[in-house]
Amino acid sequence: MSMRIGLGFDSHAFKEGVPLVIGGLKIDHPQGLAGHSDGDLLLHAITDALLGAVCAGDIGTFFPPTDPKWKGADSTVFLETALEEIALAGYKIVNLDCVLIMHRPKIVPIAAEMRERVADLLGLELNQVSIKGKTPEGLPQDGTAVAHVVVLLESLDNGESGRKLALHADRPTESDIEAAITSIAAQPRDISALGRKVPAFDTDDLT
């Protein structure tokens, strides 16, 4: 059995006039997080951790912030692509550990609900997902939220790996990809056709 570890990081500044979404969970707060997509720094960090664990690049490789098609995009689309990449590589998630660092909102009161949401998005049991909230004591980041994520993967057994890979045996054509992007724009939850690599772009974080 092969094991792999992935490390993810993301940060976003708080911004007036946008909704706050962390871990796929909409949170009642007077400020949201600035970003090219929906600013969900936790899902961005998880996505990067998963992609990094299988050496598939990072979130900017697949969804460059210079591409207007991802403006305001639901970050669950990014996460689904990362899940497809680890399945194609023949791995599955063992567990992940997440740390959110910010002054406000307080994470502890909503950590349980956030864990449930992340576990659901990843198809995991609740005891495979840890989310902790910390305050940036002594650090000048009052207007910024930071996320750190570590993920552990293990290789699939031969039978399970074969079934996963069979689902993706037919590589999509360029027209398939364009059709998928059009579909995503109309129905953000329809993400079954994503997961193909595109030429490398500037891999700066989504901001």
Side-chain angles (χ1 to χ4, degrees):
M1 178 181 294
S2 173
M3 310 291 286
R4 285 178 174 249
I5 295 173
L7 174 65
F9 168 87
D10 198 26
S11 64
H12 287 282
F14 282 95
K15 180 181 179 180
E16 298 283 352
V18 296
L20 179 60
V21 183
I22 302 177
L25 188 68
K26 293 183 178 180
I27 300 168
D28 185 16
H29 191 69
Q31 294 179 312
L33 293 171
H36 185 66
S37 62
D38 60 7
D40 192 331
L41 81 167
L42 180 54
L43 293 193
H44 296 172
I46 294 173
T47 298
D48 262 354
L50 293 172
L51 293 174
V54 294
C55 301
D58 68 3
I59 195 169
T61 306
F62 291 84
F63 308 100
T66 54
D67 193 333
K69 73 167 63 74
W70 305 118
K71 180 67 175 177
D74 187 334
S75 293
T76 58
V77 173
F78 309 156
L79 191 64
E80 180 66 19
T81 296
L83 289 172
E84 290 186 3
E85 288 299 315
I86 67 169
L88 282 167
Y91 286 85
K92 64 180 179 180
I93 300 171
V94 176
N95 73 296
L96 69 155
D97 189 16
C98 313
V99 180
L100 291 166
I101 306 170
M102 63 192 75
H103 282 293
R104 291 171 295 275
K106 296 299 183 183
I107 298 300
V108 172
I110 57 176
E113 185 178 2
M114 194 176 293
R115 285 178 65 206
E116 290 179 358
R117 177 60 175 154
V118 170
D120 182 61
L121 289 172
L122 296 173
L124 300 175
E125 298 296 329
L126 192 59
N127 62 7
Q128 294 176 278
V129 177
S130 170
I131 297 177
K132 305 184 293 289
K134 302 291 182 181
T135 55
E137 298 295 339
L139 299 176
Q141 62 175 65
D142 187 51
T144 305
V146 173
H148 296 270
V149 173
V150 177
V151 63
L152 177 65
L153 307 182
E154 69 176 3
S155 56
L156 297 163
D157 62 57
N158 290 336
E160 189 174 359
S161 179
R163 287 192 297 272
K164 289 284 188 179
L165 293 174
L167 294 175
H168 303 276
D170 296 325
R171 293 181 177 272
T173 64
E174 290 297 324
S175 61
D176 290 334
I177 294 171
E178 289 301 319
I181 291 172
T182 301
S183 177
I184 289 167
Q187 299 180 4
R189 296 294 296 178
D190 183 12
I191 53 182
S192 60
L194 287 178
R196 301 277 57 83
K197 292 185 177 66
V198 296
F201 291 86
D202 181 0
T203 56
D204 289 342
D205 289 335
L206 295 176
T207 55

